[in-house]
Amino acid sequence: MASGIGPMSGILATRRARRRAIAYTILLATTVILMAVSSSPPILELQRGIGFALRPVQSFLTDVSRGIDSISAAVTEIDQLRKTNEALQLDNQRLAAENARLEEIKRENEQLTALLQLRSGLEYKTVAAEVIARESSEFRRVVSIDAGTDDGVAVGDIIIAAGGALAGRVIEAGSNFANVLLINDTSSTVIGQVQTTAATGEVIGQLGGVLIMQNIDSTERIQIGEEVMTAGIELGSGVRSPYPKGLLIGQVVDVTRDANAVVQTAYLQPAAELDKLEYVLVITDYEGGLPDAVEQPTNVMNPDGTLPDTEQPFVTPGPSPTPVALPTPTIAP
């Protein structure tokens, strides 16, 4: 068997070699023929004719290819522009927010600078404070500030805004906060004085925005636009004005007169923007209202019925009435 397989393999290998040789020869001959034919004038003319006939198709395909390339480039460019636009919008929003923050800082700095300038021109000791809360009631005008007893703030201290405008008084003080009753609260009363004529009246708070200055002598001529200041008038019996003299309350915007009345009423626009207070000064060393206990009148008596030399009675006693002897009644028998 082994001797039979060997000759068969040789025969098959010889046949494959022949086929490869024949195929190679045919391909080589065909190539040579085509090369010879393609360089002949008729074939060249045929090629030119076919090229000319197919030139519109080729041009169309070229234009389509260019159009596709242009569309692809446009789509890519649009996508890039969209991304760039989104980035610019984000930058614009960031810059707008930064600009708003800087404007707010600038505004706050201007307010603080104005308060510092005001503080340097006051004769009183003051504490700067920020408004941290507002009472939401429709019937009250009270704000809270971030300064309290730890800062020297006490009940009764005066609150002023930019420009030295009167804002209110402290009605409650904690260690790190204080509540302030604004002058436009209906329970607030300030004795005001017209700057030009020195006419006085009671400035009463109103929730509507304007203040009412009432009980002004009707003989006084009050002009619209005049400024009204705190009068700082002593109230008698050792009682000092709760407000120091010379603080700006507001400006006269209207006056009503009654020919039959002995008083007139003026309406004031508050000098301080009471509904927009942010930063204020607290006057901590003005002693208004009732005097200290050691300064108040007393009726303490010495053992002999007289007063100490340093004391005064509440009321000076008048002379005692002389007793009158009544007639003895006669009884009829």
Side-chain angles (χ1 to χ4, degrees):
M1 290 294 295
S3 59
I5 293 174
M8 183 63 68
S9 299
I11 294 172
L12 292 176
T14 302
R15 290 179 178 177
R16 290 192 185 98
R18 288 177 182 174
R19 290 174 180 173
R20 291 175 181 172
I22 293 172
Y24 177 76
T25 302
I26 292 173
L27 290 174
L28 180 62
T30 302
T31 301
V32 173
I33 293 171
L34 289 175
M35 291 176 62
V37 172
S38 62
S39 61
S40 64
I43 297 300
L44 293 175
E45 290 295 330
L46 179 62
Q47 290 177 350
R48 292 191 187 97
I50 294 173
F52 180 79
L54 295 177
R55 189 172 299 168
V57 176
Q58 184 180 7
S59 177
F60 173 76
L61 293 176
T62 302
D63 292 341
V64 170
S65 176
R66 290 175 179 174
I68 293 174
D69 291 341
S70 299
I71 292 172
S72 177
V75 171
T76 302
E77 185 177 358
I78 290 172
D79 184 64
Q80 184 64 34
L81 289 174
R82 180 182 60 79
K83 293 179 180 179
T84 303
N85 186 54
E86 290 177 353
L88 290 175
Q89 287 181 347
L90 291 176
D91 288 342
N92 186 56
Q93 292 174 357
R94 180 181 59 79
L95 291 174
E98 182 70 13
N99 185 59
R101 188 180 69 84
L102 292 176
E103 285 294 329
E104 179 65 17
I105 292 175
K106 178 182 177 182
R107 188 180 62 82
E108 291 180 357
N109 286 338
E110 289 175 350
Q111 290 185 358
L112 292 173
T113 300
L115 284 180
L116 289 176
Q117 292 175 349
L118 171 64
R119 186 178 189 178
S120 63
L122 290 174
E123 58 179 323
Y124 302 105
K125 181 180 178 181
T126 60
V127 171
E130 181 179 2
V131 174
I132 56 176
R134 296 179 184 274
E135 188 169 328
S136 59
S137 171
E138 297 180 357
F139 308 102
R140 295 274 285 171
R141 290 295 182 268
V142 176
V143 298
S144 299
I145 59 176
D146 63 352
T149 55
D150 290 347
D151 305 294
V153 176
V155 173
D157 284 348
I158 308 303
I159 306 298
I160 57 176
L166 177 64
R169 296 181 68 224
V170 175
I171 58 174
E172 181 183 3
S175 60
N176 58 359
F177 79 96
N179 292 330
V180 178
L181 181 73
L182 301 178
I183 60 173
N184 61 343
D185 188 277
T186 54
S187 63
S188 172
T189 301
V190 184
I191 303 300
Q193 186 175 57
V194 180
Q195 189 174 26
T196 56
T197 64
T200 60
E202 300 173 356
V203 179
I204 309 297
Q206 295 292 308
L207 300 182
V210 298
L211 308 173
I212 295 179
M213 184 175 180
Q214 60 188 19
N215 296 330
I216 308 171
D217 191 330
S218 61
T219 61
E220 299 287 352
R221 301 300 298 175
I222 309 299
Q223 302 295 328
I224 293 177
E226 291 189 279
E227 292 184 339
V228 176
M229 322 291 287
T230 52
I233 296 175
E234 296 289 339
L235 304 179
S237 300
V239 180
R240 294 181 293 269
S241 171
Y243 299 92
K245 183 179 179 64
L247 298 179
L248 181 60
I249 299 176
Q251 190 176 59
V252 176
V253 294
D254 195 11
V255 180
T256 58
R257 298 181 180 89
D258 187 346
N260 299 321
V262 296
V263 294
Q264 58 184 320
T265 301
Y267 299 89
L268 313 180
Q269 179 65 39
E273 292 186 300
L274 300 173
D275 293 333
K276 299 180 181 180
L277 288 178
E278 294 183 87
Y279 299 96
V280 296
L281 289 179
V282 186
I283 297 177
T284 58
D285 61 346
Y286 174 73
E287 298 179 357
L290 289 172
D292 296 335
V294 295
E295 300 178 5
Q296 295 184 24
T298 180
N299 61 353
V300 177
M301 306 292 287
N302 289 327
D304 59 357
T306 61
L307 286 172
D309 295 337
T310 58
E311 304 294 345
Q312 296 179 351
F314 281 114
V315 179
T316 303
S320 301
T322 303
V324 178
L326 296 177
T328 301
T330 303
I331 299 176

